[in-house]
Amino acid sequence: MTPDDRAQRGMERGGMERGGIALPFILVTLIWSSTWIVIRDQLGSVPASWSVCYRFLLAGLAMAAFARMRGVSLNIGRSGLVFAALLGTAQFVLNFNFVYRAEVYLTSGVVAVVYAMLLIPNSILAWIFHRQPVSRAFIGGSVIATTGIAMMLVHEYRFAGIDPDKVVLGAAFACAGLMSASTANVMQGMDIARRLPMIAVLAWAMLIGAGIDAAFAWITTGPPVIEPRIGYLLGIGWLALAGSVVTFPLYFGLIQRMGAGRAAYTSVLIPVIAMLISTMMEGYRWSGLAVPGALLAIAGMVIALRAKTRA
């Protein structure tokens, strides 16, 4: 093989590798950007907890089927089931019940921007429990991003067409959901999580979470309620299959190939796209606070992510 042949082959491999990263990155970003507005459409005659239950019941069954197709055993043992139950409670019960309730009071794009701050509580909890260092640049970026989020919430407080106190309630729900999701993320860094097949753990976590969601929904709102509207049913399918079963394996693959730091840049792009969708679909009104707030939030997240990647 001549040097030119080797160079050509190397270029082809590099192009294939870039393509193998670019497509999953784009799919994850676009799908997760769309889920926020779909959640908004789920809020109606069906109590939020039942919608969460339906989503993760379908997602759990599909994830279990995917695991079997991949030859991954669902037998994760008693300790694995306990871990999956705790993970499912944090991620698929508390987190999403808070998310759905936050979107009752806040536009989907603003909730997406709040959730883009996930890196901050993740890093704080990792420092507390795993003693992972946090740099000054990361702290500075986090302060900038938090300032931007605060400006956007003040904009919501002033201009939302609902009682301003309900904006505060929506922000509280979003922050509670953020901490629940962060707890679930930190749990995935535990030794037991590294030993178990993630697809199987996710399947069990979703199914157990759906069961807890059903119990909570029945106790607080009564028997199951379903909305036969096509948009609602398609929304459940999109959130369960595209928003969960498709994206989680793709995202984990990105982490393996790009590293967690670079893969996390999806969290910068997702709120940008979600805010554009919110502007078109929900009539989100930009103001002198919202525009610089959004720019500060994105800039702060980029600074924090770059600092975290280098740490």
Side-chain angles (χ1 to χ4, degrees):
M1 181 181 294
T2 66
D4 288 343
D5 291 336
R6 287 195 292 269
Q8 179 65 28
R9 185 165 294 183
M11 292 174 62
E12 291 174 355
R13 283 199 299 267
M16 291 173 62
E17 183 175 352
R18 286 191 295 273
I21 291 175
L23 183 58
F25 189 93
I26 292 170
L27 285 175
V28 168
T29 302
L30 291 179
I31 290 173
W32 278 349
S33 297
S34 72
T35 56
W36 301 97
I37 194 69
V38 178
I39 289 173
R40 182 78 172 191
D41 184 66
Q42 299 280 293
L43 304 173
S45 60
V46 179
S49 297
W50 279 118
S51 291
V52 176
C53 171
Y54 302 148
R55 171 180 179 175
F56 290 110
L57 176 60
L58 178 58
L61 292 173
M63 189 68 79
F66 179 66
R68 298 299 296 168
M69 288 173 57
R70 294 284 301 272
V72 176
S73 174
L74 294 173
N75 184 7
I76 57 176
R78 181 178 298 177
S79 60
L81 288 174
V82 171
F83 174 76
L86 294 174
L87 180 67
T89 300
Q91 183 73 40
F92 305 122
V93 179
L94 295 176
N95 174 29
F96 282 93
N97 272 283
F98 284 131
V99 167
Y100 278 58
R101 284 161 175 80
E103 290 206 22
V104 171
Y105 307 112
L106 301 176
T107 56
S108 62
V110 170
V111 178
V113 174
V114 173
Y115 263 75
M117 305 283 286
L118 189 61
L119 181 69
I120 297 175
N122 278 4
S123 299
I124 294 173
L125 291 178
W127 174 72
I128 294 173
F129 293 105
H130 304 302
R131 294 302 175 189
Q132 295 180 4
V134 177
S135 68
R136 291 183 179 179
F138 175 83
I139 295 173
S142 300
V143 171
I144 293 171
T146 303
T147 301
I149 295 293
M151 292 172 66
M152 296 186 73
L153 290 175
V154 170
H155 162 79
E156 288 286 288
Y157 187 87
R158 288 182 177 179
F159 297 102
I162 60 173
D163 185 342
D165 290 342
K166 292 184 178 178
V167 174
V168 175
L169 182 59
F173 280 137
C175 291
L178 183 68
M179 292 307 301
S180 301
S182 182
T183 300
N185 283 4
V186 172
M187 287 178 64
Q188 293 182 43
M190 298 171 62
D191 289 338
I192 188 171
R194 296 190 183 98
R195 295 196 304 267
L196 297 171
M198 183 52 64
I199 295 176
V201 171
L202 283 173
W204 280 113
M206 289 175 179
L207 290 172
I208 295 171
I212 298 173
D213 288 325
F216 176 74
W218 201 309
I219 291 171
T220 57
T221 65
V225 178
I226 191 72
E227 186 176 343
R229 180 171 57 91
I230 295 298
Y232 177 84
L233 298 176
L234 290 177
I236 291 290
W238 179 258
L239 293 170
L241 302 178
S244 302
V245 178
V246 171
T247 48
F248 274 116
L250 286 178
Y251 187 69
F252 289 141
L254 285 175
I255 291 175
Q256 292 173 356
R257 300 180 69 173
M258 299 174 63
R262 292 175 65 194
Y265 276 93
T266 57
S267 66
V268 175
L269 296 175
I270 286 169
V272 174
I273 300 173
M275 286 302 298
L276 293 175
I277 295 173
S278 178
T279 301
M280 293 184 293
M281 304 295 292
E282 298 176 294
Y284 181 80
R285 294 176 297 171
W286 295 89
S287 72
L289 277 175
V291 173
L295 293 176
L296 281 176
I298 299 303
M301 284 186 285
V302 171
I303 294 171
L305 274 169
R306 293 185 67 183
K308 189 65 179 176
T309 303
R310 293 170 182 170

